[in-house]
Amino acid sequence: MPRRRTRRPAVALVCLCVTTLLFAGCSGDDGKSAPVPPSPAQRDDGEVNRDDVNGDGHPDAVVNGWYKEPKPGGDWHNNRFVVLAAPGGPKPGDAFRLAERYAKPDPRVTSSPITYDRSTQFTGDLDDDGHADVVVRNLLSHPSGKYTPDQRIVWGDPDGLAGVTKLPADVLPATAAGDFDGDGALDLLTLAEPGSEYDRKPQPATVLYGPLSRDGGAPRTTSTIDVGQQGWVSVAHAVVGDFDGDGRDDLVAKSEYDEEDVRFEDDDMPEDVIDAVFYRGTPQGLKPAGAVPGITNQADSQAPVGKPVAAGDFDGDGHADILAQVGFSEAVAVYGSGEGPGRGRAAGDLGKLGVVSAAAVGDVNGDGYDDIATQSPGVDRRIGEVAVVLGGKDGLDPARTVKIDRYTIGLGGSPEHEGDRDFFGWDLHIADLDTDGRDELLIGTFGFNKPRKDAGYWILRGTKDGPSKTDHRFIKTKDFGEN
């Protein structure tokens, strides 16, 4: 956000309204009857299942994979799948495929999925049946040539996936799952696309409170808040986590501006407008709770601030923390506290981690502290590099960074053409896929090298020192879910 010299930003004041949203039935269940979701009061274990799709007690990973046959030319193929954790490591053929039946990719993606694929997916037990579900956002094509948003919840099940519910067209873009009211059931956060600098219209964030019904994804109730501050900000980045440690998930929203944004020439801009806000989860809905030091731009400061990328508990104190990108290559960790993010432990400079928008969070060494993995183009911008920064009682420690590229794991070769990139690490995931208590690191590759290889995922086993550079395996993208 461009700095305004005459005003010091204060807490944004936005109105909160609670509404009830009626959903039309729009479900499909592959012949299985959809169970009636229990009320949150019926929960007896106090745990929220965020990522265990088949309910076996082990987190799984949802992957949106792309591949070509190992030869020049040809179209891209998509394989969106759920890779299931299993003792000794995942079995590729047991993966649940989504792309073929539930969530077709954007048909425009024929040349470069990194550039054109804008689909997203995340998990959470939204119907409270004990199995994490998969939310997929995508685009659908029409004979007219137009594209419309398509949002679906694919329901988790022990035997695979128990069908899909297409969300009504008037549901805002699904952004994250979280327990925002602290009742023990996961809710679905939806967020409108940001408006332009010229229209200055509100940007609502609506929470659909779970459990959600499989009949159209109907929530128990909803609450809505204008995170766009009546159009004065355009929220482009959002992360969810329990940043104040009160047992409820919260939201941190950050706007993005052009350097010459006309809103900053308007003398009517309220003095309480700030570009990043901490919204605290409450039983009544999300409520604004002030600025986020390290992420909110301060008008009288030249200190760089970051945009939030991911959340995790990097120092193990029970408060979610934020990984934030500063500029193109720098990164900082903004730590949570009882007062909110950025108001306790000082932000930690993580140095140059590259393009941290490609990031994953998990515990790769099994010490109870979350770690991060990020991807960058590498020193010569041709050979991709993955950096894993380990957490600890003092937070993320740049001195405990493990760097991995194609040569580190013995892949060899070089980009196929002069000036090409190998895109090593274009997709990253962290999950305990062998159920030993330490998370594995999944590194996506496209095989763009000489000689050309299959696109796939390297799975590096978690060790006490981080991801192993020697104990690893490679699985072709096209082989996941191929029985």
Side-chain angles (χ1 to χ4, degrees):
M1 176 177 180
R3 296 180 178 85
R4 306 177 67 204
R5 298 180 181 178
T6 59
R7 296 172 180 169
R8 181 179 178 85
V11 176
L13 300 177
V14 283
C15 296
L16 178 69
C17 61
V18 178
T19 61
T20 300
L21 183 63
L22 299 179
F23 281 49
C26 184
S27 64
D29 61 7
D30 289 0
K32 295 185 179 182
S33 60
V36 177
S39 68
Q42 292 176 268
R43 298 181 58 84
D44 57 7
D45 57 8
E47 296 295 326
V48 179
N49 183 357
R50 298 178 186 266
D51 45 22
D52 178 10
V53 175
N54 62 350
D56 65 355
H58 303 291
D60 308 306
V62 181
V63 178
N64 186 26
W66 288 89
Y67 65 95
K68 280 185 174 184
E69 296 299 328
K71 60 182 180 180
D75 292 333
W76 286 93
H77 304 282
N78 179 251
N79 185 15
R80 194 191 310 262
F81 57 90
V82 182
V83 55
L84 302 175
K91 299 177 176 60
D94 291 343
F96 297 160
R97 283 195 171 185
L98 282 75
E100 293 178 351
R101 296 178 58 195
Y102 300 114
K104 295 184 181 301
D106 182 344
R108 295 175 298 178
V109 185
T110 58
S111 60
S112 177
I114 290 180
T115 303
Y116 296 110
D117 186 0
R118 294 293 182 265
S119 63
T120 59
Q121 61 279 321
F122 55 88
T123 60
D125 182 9
L126 294 172
D127 62 352
D128 210 20
D129 70 345
H131 305 93
D133 311 305
V134 185
V135 179
V136 179
R137 282 171 43 199
N138 218 325
L139 293 174
L140 293 181
S141 63
H142 298 275
S144 64
K146 294 183 178 180
Y147 296 87
T148 59
D150 180 76
Q151 301 191 94
R152 301 168 185 243
I153 302 176
V154 185
W155 305 103
D157 186 82
D159 299 323
L161 297 167
V164 61
T165 294
K166 183 176 179 179
L167 296 178
D170 59 353
V171 175
L172 299 175
T175 302
D179 184 8
F180 298 101
D181 56 359
D183 65 356
L186 285 179
D187 316 310
L188 183 62
L189 174 70
T190 66
L191 176 64
E193 297 291 341
S196 75
E197 59 190 287
Y198 299 102
D199 56 26
R200 288 219 309 266
K201 62 182 181 181
Q203 186 180 1
T206 298
V207 178
L208 313 183
Y209 291 100
L212 273 59
S213 168
R214 292 191 183 181
D215 185 10
R220 290 185 296 109
T221 187
T222 71
S223 68
T224 297
I225 190 170
D226 175 22
V227 297
Q229 303 174 55
Q230 296 301 312
W232 290 108
V233 302
S234 298
V235 171
H237 311 283
V239 290
V240 167
D242 184 7
F243 302 112
D244 58 5
D246 66 353
R248 304 182 186 96
D249 282 320
D250 313 303
L251 168 68
V252 168
K254 169 83 171 182
S255 63
E256 196 165 273
Y257 297 91
D258 292 328
E259 285 296 325
E260 303 300 327
D261 196 297
V262 300
R263 283 171 284 196
F264 297 101
E265 304 300 326
D266 194 328
D267 292 334
D268 292 332
M269 176 181 276
E271 293 188 3
D272 54 16
V273 169
I274 53 178
D275 67 334
V277 179
F278 165 49
Y279 293 94
R280 179 174 278 119
T282 79
Q284 293 76 39
L286 293 170
K287 292 188 175 182
V292 186
I295 293 178
T296 302
N297 196 311
Q298 298 295 319
D300 59 353
S301 172
Q302 297 298 314
V305 293
K307 63 180 182 182
V309 173
D313 189 359
F314 308 130
D315 57 4
D317 66 352
H319 304 91
D321 312 310
I322 300 172
L323 170 67
Q325 180 176 346
V326 180
F328 182 75
S329 61
E330 301 288 331
V332 298
V334 176
Y335 294 97
S337 73
E339 299 301 316
R343 303 176 191 176
R345 181 193 299 274
D349 184 1
L350 303 178
K352 292 185 177 181
L353 290 182
V355 186
V356 299
S357 55
V361 176
D363 184 6
V364 294
N365 58 355
D367 63 356
Y369 302 97
D370 278 335
D371 315 307
I372 63 167
T374 68
Q375 188 267 0
S376 72
V379 176
D380 66 359
R381 307 196 63 78
R382 299 180 67 222
I383 307 300
E385 182 178 80
V386 175
V388 178
V389 184
L390 301 179
K393 64 178 181 179
D394 295 322
L396 294 173
D397 184 358
R400 302 174 66 209
T401 299
V402 180
K403 293 188 176 182
I404 304 160
D405 62 18
R406 62 188 304 118
Y407 305 121
T408 304
I409 60 175
L411 182 56
S414 61
E416 188 172 12
H417 303 291
E418 186 67 26
D420 281 357
R421 291 170 54 189
D422 68 352
F423 291 103
F424 179 88
W426 75 276
D427 190 27
L428 298 174
H429 300 271
I430 296 178
D432 184 10
L433 296 178
D434 62 3
T435 72
D436 70 347
R438 298 187 179 105
D439 288 352
E440 276 61 60
L441 173 64
L442 278 72
I443 301 176
T445 64
F446 280 143
F448 292 167
N449 61 291
K450 295 184 295 186
R452 197 173 182 88
K453 301 290 186 180
D454 279 287
Y457 288 83
W458 289 88
I459 303 178
L460 279 60
R461 187 175 183 182
T463 75
K464 64 180 180 61
D465 299 314
S468 175
K469 298 178 181 180
T470 57
D471 190 353
H472 49 63
R473 60 190 290 211
F474 177 78
I475 300 176
K476 298 176 184 178
T477 302
K478 62 183 179 182
D479 287 350
F480 283 99
E482 185 67 55
N483 284 312

